[in-house]
């Protein structure tokens, strides 16, 4: 579940102004700096994205770890004209997450090791389309073509194609982001989640009492 209220009305305009992004399209990944999030896949995909959409910005935001140095090395290895399109934001306050998401046009998480994928819910709560990996639990969260797109795990070319598709079709971004936001509000707010959990416990207690009476 997510606290949807913190995201639904988020505004990324100030953050866009702060980083000088203007009206450029922004692709964002917001995740802790660890290898399993597959920042390498996204950074390998971006040259293909920039070839088709050279004005695109890439936002990489998350908590620093020892792996952060490797992310910085991958960014530094990019040609200068592309390197200048990357913004790295480290150790931001939790309260700033909604503005970071709101400043994006699409949110990407190439990780294949998500037991669920709260990052997708947070992006959806901001009305943003998402791209995830077609592996593990992720396809059970993202309804492909309805509220997000999927790409083969570790396949930079497929991720690039999905990102380019979103950048080229504003109406698709709006459709997927709106559908994702509806799904979060209907199924994944804490109020909805706690009601479901309470119902499970109530049913278990009722069944246990019935079984005890039957046994007696």
């Amino acid at each position: 579940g997510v606290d949807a209220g913190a995201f639904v009305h988020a505004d990324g305009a100030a953050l866009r102004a702060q980083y000088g992004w203007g009206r450029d399209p922004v692709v964002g990944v917001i995740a802790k700096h660890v290898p399993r999030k597959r920042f390498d896949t996204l950074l390998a995909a971006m040259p293909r994205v920039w070839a088709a959409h050279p004005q695109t910005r890439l936002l990489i935001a998350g908590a620093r770890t020892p792996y952060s140095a490797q992310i910085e090395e991958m960014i530094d290895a990019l040609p200068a004209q592309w390197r200048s399109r990357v913004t790295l934001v480290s150790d931001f306050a939790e309260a700033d997450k909604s503005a970071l998401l709101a400043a994006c046009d699409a949110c990407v998480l190439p990780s294949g090791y998500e037991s669920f994928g709260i990052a997708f819910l947070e992006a959806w709560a901001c009305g943003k389309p998402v791209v995830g990996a077609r592996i593990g639990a992720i396809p059970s969260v993202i309804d492909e073509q309805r509220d997000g797109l999927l790409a083969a795990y570790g396949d930079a070319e497929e991720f690039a194609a999905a990102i380019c598709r979103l950048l080229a079709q504003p109406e698709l971004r709006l459709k997927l982001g709106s559908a994702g936001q509806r799904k979060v509000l209907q199924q994944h707010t804490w109020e909805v989640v706690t009601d479901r959990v309470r119902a499970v416990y109530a049913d278990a207690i009722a069944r246990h009492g019935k079984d005890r009476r039957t046994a007696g």
Side-chain angles (χ1 to χ4, degrees), residues 45-83:
M46 287 308 297
R48 296 175 174 86
V49 175
W50 282 315
H53 303 276
Q55 296 305 113
T56 303
R57 306 278 184 167
L58 174 62
L59 167 66
I60 298 176
R64 287 188 67 83
T65 71
Y67 183 67
S68 300
Q70 294 184 47
I71 295 174
E72 291 166 349
E73 289 175 3
M74 287 185 280
I75 295 171
D76 290 341
L78 294 169
Q81 73 271 24
W82 295 341
R83 188 166 64 245

Side-chain angles (χ1 to χ4, degrees), residues 61-137:
R64 287 188 67 83
T65 71
Y67 183 67
S68 300
Q70 294 184 47
I71 295 174
E72 291 166 349
E73 289 175 3
M74 287 185 280
I75 295 171
D76 290 341
L78 294 169
Q81 73 271 24
W82 295 341
R83 188 166 64 245
S84 66
R85 312 301 293 178
V86 182
T87 300
L88 185 63
V89 179
S90 302
D91 295 331
F92 57 86
E94 185 68 20
D96 295 334
K97 183 187 290 186
S98 58
L100 288 165
L101 288 167
C104 296
D105 294 282
C107 296
V108 182
L109 184 63
S111 170
Y113 296 90
E114 302 299 311
S115 59
F116 183 79
I118 294 295
F120 299 123
L121 301 188
E122 292 173 337
W124 279 332
C126 283
K128 304 301 176 178
V130 301
V131 181
R134 193 182 292 106
I135 192 172

Side-chain angles (χ1 to χ4, degrees), residues 25-203:
V26 178
V27 173
V29 55
I30 298 181
K32 185 177 181 180
H33 293 176
V34 291
R36 69 176 182 274
K37 299 298 183 180
R38 297 306 305 264
F39 295 94
D40 58 330
T41 299
L42 180 56
L43 284 165
M46 287 308 297
R48 296 175 174 86
V49 175
W50 282 315
H53 303 276
Q55 296 305 113
T56 303
R57 306 278 184 167
L58 174 62
L59 167 66
I60 298 176
R64 287 188 67 83
T65 71
Y67 183 67
S68 300
Q70 294 184 47
I71 295 174
E72 291 166 349
E73 289 175 3
M74 287 185 280
I75 295 171
D76 290 341
L78 294 169
Q81 73 271 24
W82 295 341
R83 188 166 64 245
S84 66
R85 312 301 293 178
V86 182
T87 300
L88 185 63
V89 179
S90 302
D91 295 331
F92 57 86
E94 185 68 20
D96 295 334
K97 183 187 290 186
S98 58
L100 288 165
L101 288 167
C104 296
D105 294 282
C107 296
V108 182
L109 184 63
S111 170
Y113 296 90
E114 302 299 311
S115 59
F116 183 79
I118 294 295
F120 299 123
L121 301 188
E122 292 173 337
W124 279 332
C126 283
K128 304 301 176 178
V130 301
V131 181
R134 193 182 292 106
I135 192 172
I138 296 166
S140 69
V141 178
I142 297 174
D143 190 351
E144 190 171 12
Q145 307 293 339
R146 291 182 180 273
D147 48 41
L149 300 179
L150 295 171
Y153 174 67
D155 191 323
E157 188 170 346
E158 280 203 21
F159 271 92
I163 293 167
C164 285
R165 184 180 174 194
L166 291 177
L167 294 177
Q169 300 181 51
E171 70 285 356
L172 179 63
R173 296 201 303 270
L174 178 61
K175 173 188 171 183
L176 299 181
S178 297
Q181 188 177 69
R182 287 194 299 272
K183 181 158 74 173
V184 169
L185 295 177
Q186 292 170 3
Q187 301 180 29
H188 297 293
T189 65
W190 281 122
E191 292 80 6
V192 172
V193 171
T194 53
D195 283 348
R196 288 207 301 263
V197 172
R198 185 181 298 110
V200 169
Y201 277 106
D203 181 65

Side-chain angles (χ1 to χ4, degrees), residues 9-18 21 98-104 128:
H9 302 296
D11 187 351
L15 191 140
R16 276 180 165 266
Q18 175 185 340
W21 293 339
S98 58
L100 288 165
L101 288 167
C104 296
K128 304 301 176 178

